[in-house]
Amino acid sequence: MQNVVPAIFPPAGVGDARPASQAVLDWVHEIATLTQPENIFWCDGSKRENEFLIAESLKQNVLIKLNEKKVPRSHLHRSDPNDVARVEQFTFVCTPTKQGAGPTNNWSEPGETYTKLRGLLKGAMHGRTMFVVPYIMGPPDSPLTKVGFEITDSKYVVLNMRIMTRMGEVAVKRLGNDPNAEWNRGVHSLLDVSPERRSICHFPQDNAIISVGSGYGGNVLLSKKCFALRIGSYLARTQGWLAEHMLILGVESPEGKKHYVAAAFPSACGKTNFAMLIPPAHFKGWKVTTVGDDIAWMQIRDGRLYAINPENGYFGVVPGTSYQSNPNAMRSIAHDTLYTNVALTDDGDVWWEGKDGPPPAHAIDWRGNDWTPASKERAAHPNSRFTTPMRNNPALDPDVEKGEGVPISAIIFGGRRSDTVPLVYEALDWNHGVYLGATMASETTAAATGAVGKVRRDPMAMLPFCGYNIGDYFQHWLDIGKRLTRPPRIFGVNWFRKGADGKFLWPGFGENMRVLKWIIDRCEETGGALKSPIGWLPGIHDIDLAGLELDHKCIDELLEIDHEQWQKELVEHKTFFDSLGGVVPEELLEQSKELAARFAQ
Ligand code: GTP
Ligand code: SPV
Ligand code: MN
């Protein structure tokens, strides 16, 4: 290999999961020739390799070791302050035609984009190590599982990928040496972490991703949003399955009857928290278990939808996490966790806004500056994250490794809406549910750069993640419905409705069990409901509120359909569909008319 010296680093016996596939070897050779790394490190995902990489990262200040007694085997990473969230404006879907990417994606012509990226990558890894990360998405024995390779010049990426995916030999074995095998090619280089050169480019037709100029999770852990959702959704359409921005949870009654639900909420709108819900005392004997907290891949089996979680860990929002709000998350991140952009206390512990107990008298904030409770700045970045293995979760579902996945009884769509949208309602049928998902909206959050708190339409919570034309995506959902003989019921929820005082009306978190219970009752055909123009609504007595201190006025407000607000909402649905330039399927336009007609009755 031209100008690439044989690997003297890593030491013998560490990092050697070289594939038999000539296609992978050729690709690695091509990228190494272009980027000119000092050496190539084939990652095997072993414990020994991980220890070696952590030791190197500590030496280079990529990681800070946390107090071993307080948070065993855990570390803190501080990113560049200009690189703390996904960048939707620099994210591209490079299909052969603009039409292929559709009206909701930034499009860039593939030929020109490859040329531009090759220019940026030329010599980009000079003096650096090039890591090759083989990984699979999904349980090792699942038919839905897919292979990916990520090339990166960031140790932080490798350390995260080891937690977030199943890495190493397992991927090399699954791929084998079939030259036509399907696998994802991901190339990542930090370059100089300059926002001017930051771009995250997807080539669905080539099953390829190139990401440059960032070190932030969602931009660089190419397995996650880039492969499992953007490329994944494209593959899902051509192959007849679904790749969705959804948590998957199991809910078991005291009698042992179990249901699984999948729920799509936009970024930082409550997926991880819902997936780890602990039922309140009143629900004695009920158990909620986590299959996944961010992404669901779903296939049709026996006329039903079955879901797997393609990931192996959680990349979760830290601020607001406490023993009060989410004890399972707190236990999950108490050890073997990689923290990004939280505050460091003087005794080597981590701290963030919303953690239990009083704030520390002094800390180092996420930027590395001194911080005290009197400081105006936040100690932790609002999009600070934890990366933790799913096996740390005390509520992990026993069927998380099941190859066929878990059968889905209900699909839930939820956004962050201060008004208009009630706590919970049920769609009239599959197509109405697709309309509900397609028109959902949410206030923007710190998970992506840009304004926070702005209401925007975010169909199925996939606006930033659908790797092809959104009109075709809607049609794909409608088509899937036609193939299901036992479709899941579809619901809308909103944990974030506010009262006149600007406070949340609903306590949320564990109390969301009450809403989940109604959803399960509906699936069991035992739950009562009233028909409204937007679908089935629970009556006040259909939701079990025992043991909850919440006055009746709040519940009335939470379930209220304000016709004036909904008239505005219908106009916004129409504006949104119109803005898509004629790609919306006829069946959804029909749903829109029927909804308006129900309001007019
Ligand atoms: P991503 O990882 O970005 O996809 O986010 P997510 O959808 O998993 O959201 P997460 O569960 O991490 O929650 C994001 C924020 O919403 C946190 O600050 C939570 O504290 C808050 N949150 C989650 N659930 C609730 C709820 O039921 N009620 C209220 N009021 N806030 C919630
Ligand atoms: C999201 O933004 O939806 C996340 C975090 O789950 S990231 O992986 O950064 O996209
Ligand atoms: Mn997410």
Side-chain angles (χ1 to χ4, degrees):
M1 198 168 291
Q2 202 190 342
N3 281 343
V4 174
V5 293
I8 37 161
F9 165 96
V14 170
D16 200 11
R18 226 171 284 250
S21 163
Q22 193 57 44
V24 176
L25 295 172
D26 289 349
W27 168 72
V28 169
H29 180 269
E30 179 200 328
I31 302 301
T33 305
L34 176 66
T35 58
Q36 297 288 307
E38 191 169 332
N39 39 45
I40 301 178
F41 190 132
W42 290 87
C43 299
D44 63 14
S46 67
K47 201 168 164 200
R48 208 179 142 210
E49 173 183 283
N50 196 51
E51 280 163 9
F52 173 76
L53 289 175
I54 286 175
E56 289 289 311
S57 303
L58 290 170
K59 268 191 242 161
Q60 292 159 12
N61 297 322
V62 171
L63 292 184
I64 296 166
K65 173 134 186 66
L66 297 173
N67 185 322
E68 189 59 27
K69 289 215 178 72
K70 306 227 172 213
V71 231
R73 302 173 299 281
S74 298
H75 300 88
L76 167 65
H77 170 80
R78 290 193 197 114
S79 77
D80 191 303
N82 75 30
D83 189 28
V84 294
R86 284 185 293 100
V87 281
E88 295 177 1
Q89 69 278 34
F90 304 135
T91 300
F92 297 89
V93 172
C94 309
T95 41
T97 63
K98 190 171 191 314
Q99 164 84 8
T104 55
N105 282 309
N106 299 313
W107 177 76
S108 158
E109 199 277 321
E112 278 170 25
T113 312
Y114 274 128
T115 304
K116 193 175 141 213
L117 289 167
R118 272 196 207 103
L120 288 169
L121 285 170
K122 202 163 178 221
M125 297 190 191
H126 187 78
R128 296 183 190 177
T129 295
M130 182 175 110
F131 299 93
V132 187
V133 178
Y135 66 91
I136 56 169
M137 296 303 280
D141 68 346
S142 175
L144 276 170
T145 291
K146 295 199 178 283
V147 176
F149 280 79
E150 175 165 356
I151 288 176
T152 176
D153 54 8
S154 158
K155 282 184 207 65
Y156 169 77
V157 167
V158 179
L159 293 168
N160 274 280
M161 288 293 283
R162 185 172 182 271
I163 301 173
M164 294 304 296
T165 71
R166 295 160 176 93
M167 183 208 278
E169 204 54 40
V170 64
V172 169
K173 276 217 191 88
R174 175 136 184 149
L175 180 66
N177 56 10
D178 173 4
N180 298 317
E182 181 197 291
W183 55 281
N184 180 266
R185 311 158 187 236
V187 178
H188 165 246
S189 177
L190 290 163
L191 305 184
D192 54 357
V193 202
S194 147
E196 283 98 76
R197 272 169 290 284
R198 190 166 297 159
S199 98
I200 296 95
C201 301
H202 305 74
F203 304 87
Q205 64 284 4
D206 304 331
N207 200 351
I209 306 154
I210 303 179
S211 166
V212 293
S214 172
Y216 170 74
N219 301 329
V220 300
L221 308 179
L222 301 184
S223 60
K224 195 175 179 57
K225 296 299 159 58
C226 301
F227 181 25
L229 287 181
R230 295 196 193 94
I231 302 276
S233 60
Y234 175 95
L235 294 174
R237 177 173 173 245
T238 52
Q239 299 168 355
W241 51 282
L242 290 170
E244 299 299 329
H245 192 198
M246 290 180 180
L247 68 96
I248 310 157
L249 65 78
V251 49
E252 192 178 333
S253 73
E255 297 76 41
K257 179 113 208 247
K258 191 159 183 181
H259 285 276
Y260 289 93
V261 309
F265 308 158
S267 301
C269 290
K271 285 183 299 305
T272 302
N273 278 277
F274 193 43
M276 292 184 166
L277 180 157
I278 296 180
H282 172 67
F283 288 80
K284 201 166 174 286
W286 285 84
K287 245 180 26 209
V288 172
T289 47
T290 318
V291 178
D293 84 319
D294 197 49
I295 297 174
W297 282 359
M298 299 190 279
Q299 61 173 340
I300 301 175
R301 285 173 65 91
D302 313 324
R304 300 185 75 180
L305 272 184
Y306 278 73
I308 62 159
N309 170 14
E311 301 191 283
N312 200 32
Y314 309 133
F315 183 62
V317 176
V318 177
T321 309
S322 67
Y323 279 100
Q324 184 66 33
S325 64
N326 190 344
N328 281 331
M330 288 302 282
R331 284 181 202 115
S332 303
I333 63 179
H335 58 96
D336 298 281
T337 295
L338 179 43
Y339 287 91
T340 301
N341 292 339
V342 297
L344 178 67
T345 64
D346 295 347
D347 57 356
D349 199 353
V350 275
W351 192 80
W352 54 83
E353 281 75 13
K355 197 181 184 186
D356 311 84
H362 174 264
I364 305 293
D365 72 11
W366 68 275
R367 287 187 173 89
N369 299 327
D370 284 307
W371 183 93
T372 72
S375 301
K376 284 201 184 64
E377 308 277 332
R378 285 173 181 250
H381 188 276
N383 192 39
S384 51
R385 296 264 164 179
F386 56 75
T387 319
T388 205
M390 68 175 180
R391 276 165 198 81
N392 279 10
N393 179 1
L396 191 66
D397 190 90
D399 282 344
V400 73
E401 294 283 350
K402 208 170 179 178
E404 66 183 47
V406 296
I408 298 298
S409 303
I411 286 176
I412 305 173
F413 293 115
R416 197 180 266 272
R417 294 296 299 272
S418 327
D419 51 42
T420 316
V421 181
L423 179 63
V424 61
Y425 61 114
E426 184 187 346
L428 301 170
D429 55 27
W430 179 270
N431 281 6
H432 179 228
V434 174
Y435 178 84
L436 188 165
T439 54
M440 73 186 255
S442 192
E443 290 154 21
T444 51
T445 66
T449 53
V452 168
K454 222 177 120 233
V455 176
R456 70 167 183 186
R457 297 293 131 184
D458 188 349
M460 281 85 171
M462 283 288 278
L463 181 75
F465 308 119
C466 181
Y468 61 100
N469 192 306
I470 199 82
D472 295 335
Y473 172 75
F474 292 158
Q475 188 60 53
H476 182 51
W477 265 84
L478 294 166
D479 292 343
I480 289 278
K482 295 187 185 98
R483 290 168 54 203
L484 295 170
T485 50
R486 292 162 72 194
R489 290 172 178 245
I490 300 181
F491 298 82
V493 301
N494 178 19
W495 312 147
F496 300 96
R497 198 162 182 174
K498 288 179 178 167
D501 59 359
K503 292 200 178 120
F504 292 126
L505 288 163
W506 180 247
F509 300 101
E511 305 297 345
N512 293 333
M513 180 64 206
R514 299 172 191 277
V515 174
L516 183 57
K517 172 70 168 42
W518 181 72
I519 290 173
I520 298 305
D521 289 347
R522 294 293 296 166
C523 295
E524 292 267 328
E525 302 197 344
T526 57
L530 307 165
K531 202 160 182 185
S532 86
I534 67 165
W536 296 101
L537 275 176
I540 234 174
H541 301 291
D542 297 321
I543 297 194
D544 188 344
L545 296 172
L548 181 65
E549 275 183 44
L550 192 68
D551 69 52
H552 267 253
K553 221 181 108 261
C554 276
I555 273 293
D556 286 341
E557 261 184 274
L558 278 161
L559 294 175
E560 190 195 14
I561 310 285
D562 178 321
H563 282 237
E564 230 168 81
Q565 288 180 357
W566 272 93
Q567 284 315 319
K568 273 197 219 138
E569 184 73 9
L570 294 194
V571 171
E572 274 154 32
H573 290 184
K574 185 169 184 309
T575 308
F576 176 58
F577 277 4
D578 287 349
S579 78
L580 300 179
V583 303
V584 179
E586 197 52 47
E587 271 148 303
L588 292 189
L589 300 175
E590 196 48 50
Q591 285 292 333
S592 182
K593 281 189 207 139
E594 286 171 22
L595 175 60
R598 288 196 298 270
F599 268 108
Q601 264 169 23

